[in-house]
Amino acid sequence: MSSDPALPTYVYKLVPYTAPPPTPLPPVLPVSELDEKSGFIHLSTAVQIPGTLKHFFTDHPSVYILRVPYAAIAKDVRWESPDAKVCGPRPGEGLFPHLYNGQKLGRDEVDSMQAWQRTEGDGWDQALKQAEEWLVY
């Protein structure tokens, strides 16, 4: 648990997939087009994951969720507002963790990973429900 109650224990990276991830994870994973354009890696807290799925992953049938211990990357994280031009206003979600470390995220940072699949017609609700114990709020 983080020593500061305002800081999360974990942050999460959502990645769409169509094939199994490499095992083990490589030292550095490829970055998304959005991450590359932004110059940092977009992360979410557990509370922010439903909104991130809704705004960025409605057209993807499956995603990997990478769980990253916040303490391991804290020195390179900036808490910033989401750009409303990209996804519209996201009231109630607060600032987002953005990783500024040369876009390096891989096996040394990732604690664990889950593969989630979207239920047609239900969105991501079932996947979120099944992951309740794994997501740390």
Side-chain angles (χ1 to χ4, degrees):
M1 188 74 159
S2 171
S3 60
D4 182 341
L7 296 174
T9 301
Y10 296 102
V11 292
Y12 301 85
K13 176 65 180 166
L14 287 74
V15 182
Y17 80 90
T18 56
T23 304
L25 287 177
V28 179
L29 293 162
V31 296
S32 70
E33 184 178 321
L34 179 61
D35 291 348
E36 190 172 321
K37 285 172 69 175
S38 300
F40 58 83
I41 294 175
H42 293 262
L43 301 169
S44 297
T45 64
V47 170
Q48 295 164 336
I49 286 176
T52 300
L53 287 166
K54 175 185 170 189
H55 290 288
F56 293 99
F57 295 92
T58 56
D59 294 334
H60 298 281
S62 48
V63 295
Y64 289 118
I65 310 292
L66 307 172
R67 187 168 76 177
V68 179
Y70 179 71
I73 61 169
K75 68 179 177 51
D76 295 319
V77 171
R78 294 184 204 161
W79 291 89
E80 300 172 320
S81 283
D83 185 350
K85 293 177 280 187
V86 174
C87 62
R90 294 180 69 172
E93 291 187 293
L95 300 177
F96 280 75
H98 294 157
L99 181 60
Y100 288 86
N101 71 344
Q103 299 185 329
K104 295 180 181 99
L105 185 65
R107 71 171 164 244
D108 293 339
E109 294 80 25
V110 175
D111 165 86
S112 62
M113 176 178 58
Q114 286 194 348
W116 295 0
Q117 294 194 330
R118 180 170 56 88
T119 305
E120 206 55 50
D122 290 336
W124 291 102
D125 294 342
Q126 188 62 32
L128 285 163
K129 186 175 178 119
Q130 290 176 340
E132 282 178 352
E133 291 182 27
W134 183 75
L135 286 173
V136 178
Y137 290 88

